[in-house]
Amino acid sequence: MCIAIPGKMTAIVDENTATIDMGGICRDVNMALMGGAKESMIGKHFLVHVGYAISEISEEESEETMRLLKIMAGLEEIDSLESESQ
């Protein structure tokens, strides 16, 4: 099974690479499959698989996918406890 992680583009590194924030973890991602990294893409959301952006998705889809991944990983409880203590 393959899993793609949702994230938001925060910066451009070079013409084919961008920094993507995936739930607070930022990685440089190859954007070649998306036609390269462009200024107009900053702030947009993408699915990332093995270091490549493979599709653009909506912000809502990105948030929902990350929420479901956290539930599957058993991290949803941790998030609930952190928000209660603040």
Side-chain angles (χ1 to χ4, degrees):
M1 175 170 66
C2 299
I3 295 179
I5 307 297
K8 181 178 180 179
M9 182 192 283
T10 59
I12 293 176
V13 176
D14 61 39
E15 64 185 30
N16 282 314
T17 310
T19 301
I20 305 282
D21 180 344
M22 296 170 278
I25 298 171
C26 295
R27 295 284 185 255
D28 289 347
V29 172
N30 188 305
M31 300 298 292
L33 297 174
M34 300 289 94
K38 299 175 181 69
E39 288 286 330
S40 61
M41 294 175 163
I42 293 177
K44 294 192 176 186
H45 295 258
F46 297 89
L47 285 176
V48 178
H49 177 66
V50 294
Y52 287 82
I54 59 172
S55 66
E56 184 177 345
I57 60 174
S58 69
E59 181 176 2
E60 295 77 22
E61 185 177 359
S62 180
E63 290 171 357
E64 179 65 5
T65 301
M66 186 60 78
R67 186 182 74 78
L68 293 171
L69 288 171
K70 285 180 179 180
I71 289 170
M72 289 177 6
L75 299 175
E76 193 64 28
E77 261 184 36
I78 293 168
D79 287 346
S80 297
L81 292 173
E82 286 177 1
S83 60
E84 288 176 9
S85 67
Q86 293 176 359

